Amino acid sequence: MKKFIVYIFIAVMMSSCFSGRRVGSVGGEVTGVGATHYSEPTPFGMVLIDCGSMKEGPGSKDSIWGIDSVARGISVDAFWMDETEITNSKYKQFVYWVRDSIIRERLADPAYGGNEEFKIVEDKEGNPITPHLNWNRAIPWKNPSEDEERAIQSVYRINPITGVRELDPNQMNYRYEVYNLTEAAKRRNRFDRSRRDYNTDHDVPDFDPMISKDTAYVDDDGRIIRQTITHPLQSEFDFVNTYIVNVFPDTTCWINDFDNAYNEPYVRMYFASAGYNNYPVVGVSWEQATAFCHWRTEFLKKSLGKEGVYVEPYRLPTEAEWEYAARAGVSTNKFPWEGDLPLTEEDGCFYANFKPMEGNYVKDGSIISAPVGTYQPNDFGLYDMAGNVSEWTSTAYTESIDRMTSDLNPEYRYNVAKEDPYKMSRKIVRGGSWKDVAHNVRSDLRMWEYQNEQRSYIGFRCVRTKVGTGKVKRKK
């Protein structure tokens, strides 16, 4: 807890380090603008991956597996990465935050008593502001009034079969907005038409480019309706995309991923039971993982207690960042460790959680996923970069991605529209999982999954770009 408080304090200092710039000079010479120096602290539970370069992708052909040598040189800047996959416990915090936000919204609703203390609509001077929830006001879990009890119980349901009171997954919707800086920064999208093309031989265009933005709403039946709107560029808000995502994991993935198998205990217990708290969360789509990253960023910003503070957002790693981190920056590594075997030659201990033999899931010590950090970390201090669960990246998949992306911080993003073919929604996953054979947990291999799919073997971890250039690690 102390470490987190220190982090918040320093982050607040970071946000104001450019607010008091002084312009100085010595004898009329230009000396530059001063700014408060700071050193970014380590985000909780994360490892610093310094900037570096490597050969990305398989370095040699494998005719048995149909693998071509497609390695190419890439460089990535420094970033922080979660040392383990996101656990059930951490993801539950997200789900419960969504639950509590819904309860607070309803406690402020006149239909449930209309307690104005749960929503802030004006500042300390009494001036109207954008309404937002008051998280300093505790939910009356004990001894609530009749209206408060109705508000609290409204997010739960009674299971019609078992009669057990349980959280209603269908209500756990998280709404968020994302400013698409990449599109907004493109020259063709500038509001000053004369600055869209620097070639003075060309006429200034007399029309504005077409802009596509995502938006969403919940209809009267509680269904999330997503739309993609396309129109001529009008304002900065054309680059703001709105998403509504149901964040509850699909616990039925344990049955749907495996035909004719008795996996019902996992459906009931894997996410719900505290016994699995330290296991990687699964049944989470790319869309849900992306929503978690946004919430984690907003959760931090709200903890700073200062509106308008910019912090580098939590996000999913790019494919290049993930592979560089997994292989510890070593181009010759096929795995997060040296050599081509998933176990040590000396004592036969396994390096990762995978399927060692046909039908034998337990030889490595785990029948399904294992608690995060069970196996030894790689040289960067990252756990489970091979096996345990596959991990979402931010990178969209296309067969020609290696010919499309830059060799500097390579990334390919595509925000699929509802009208697009389903194959356009593919996202790259990496690392293999507890159900895969040794070959498929290699760190240099690319796999993909549809962004709305929820699997019992896919999880994720977050990254944050490091402020300032990282330190280059030179290898002998």
Side-chain angles (χ1 to χ4, degrees), residues 75-92:
S75 295
V76 294
D77 207 344
F79 58 95
W80 302 97
M81 184 176 231
D82 283 327
E83 61 181 355
T84 70
E85 295 139 341
I86 296 299
T87 61
N88 282 321
S89 178
K90 290 182 178 180
Y91 197 82
K92 282 179 187 176

Side-chain angles (χ1 to χ4, degrees), residues 140-212:
W141 297 105
K142 296 181 179 180
N143 302 317
S145 67
E146 183 177 341
D147 286 333
E148 291 171 339
E149 179 69 13
R150 287 193 303 113
I152 293 172
Q153 294 302 324
S154 67
V155 298
Y156 293 88
R157 70 166 197 154
I158 301 299
N159 189 299
I161 305 300
T162 64
V164 175
R165 174 179 172 270
E166 60 189 19
L167 193 64
D168 184 358
N170 294 326
Q171 295 190 53
M172 299 299 105
N173 298 330
Y174 178 70
R175 181 185 183 277
Y176 68 102
E177 295 180 339
V178 176
Y179 181 73
N180 191 339
L181 178 59
T182 299
E183 287 299 312
K186 291 180 178 178
R187 288 179 178 172
R188 65 178 179 84
N189 291 333
R190 287 174 174 170
F191 294 99
D192 184 349
R193 294 177 179 175
S194 65
R195 298 185 65 236
R196 292 174 183 168
D197 187 349
Y198 288 163
N199 189 335
T200 55
D201 291 338
H202 298 168
D203 293 332
V204 176
D206 60 356
F207 61 89
D208 292 317
M210 300 298 289
I211 299 296
S212 293

Side-chain angles (χ1 to χ4, degrees), residues 154-342:
S154 67
V155 298
Y156 293 88
R157 70 166 197 154
I158 301 299
N159 189 299
I161 305 300
T162 64
V164 175
R165 174 179 172 270
E166 60 189 19
L167 193 64
D168 184 358
N170 294 326
Q171 295 190 53
M172 299 299 105
N173 298 330
Y174 178 70
R175 181 185 183 277
Y176 68 102
E177 295 180 339
V178 176
Y179 181 73
N180 191 339
L181 178 59
T182 299
E183 287 299 312
K186 291 180 178 178
R187 288 179 178 172
R188 65 178 179 84
N189 291 333
R190 287 174 174 170
F191 294 99
D192 184 349
R193 294 177 179 175
S194 65
R195 298 185 65 236
R196 292 174 183 168
D197 187 349
Y198 288 163
N199 189 335
T200 55
D201 291 338
H202 298 168
D203 293 332
V204 176
D206 60 356
F207 61 89
D208 292 317
M210 300 298 289
I211 299 296
S212 293
K213 63 175 294 182
D214 294 330
T215 186
Y217 66 93
V218 178
D219 66 11
D220 294 337
D221 296 322
R223 295 175 300 184
I224 298 173
I225 306 300
R226 181 186 170 192
Q227 296 178 326
T228 300
I229 300 173
T230 302
H231 61 223
L233 176 65
Q234 297 174 347
S235 73
E236 289 284 348
F237 289 99
D238 288 329
F239 303 108
V240 177
N241 296 284
T242 302
Y243 301 100
I244 300 177
V245 179
N246 183 275
V247 302
F248 204 88
D250 182 9
T251 58
T252 68
C253 61
W254 293 99
I255 288 179
N256 290 301
D257 286 343
F258 300 94
D259 294 330
N260 302 316
Y262 181 64
N263 288 335
E264 290 183 16
Y266 303 139
V267 174
R268 291 189 293 264
M269 304 301 292
Y270 186 84
F271 185 67
S273 172
Y276 287 103
N277 269 355
N278 204 37
Y279 285 65
V281 67
V282 297
V284 173
S285 68
W286 180 91
E287 295 165 352
Q288 291 173 314
T290 302
F292 176 93
C293 293
H294 182 273
W295 166 79
R296 189 175 177 182
T297 304
E298 292 302 305
F299 187 75
L300 173 60
K301 289 168 66 175
K302 283 181 171 59
S303 297
L304 299 178
K306 188 175 181 180
E307 294 297 327
V309 174
Y310 177 81
V311 297
E312 276 297 324
Y314 290 99
R315 55 183 175 81
L316 294 177
T318 67
E319 180 192 29
E321 288 173 333
W322 194 98
E323 182 172 332
Y324 179 77
R327 299 170 73 181
V330 181
S331 301
T332 55
N333 281 358
K334 295 180 180 179
F335 296 95
W337 53 83
E338 294 182 2
D340 295 337
L341 296 176

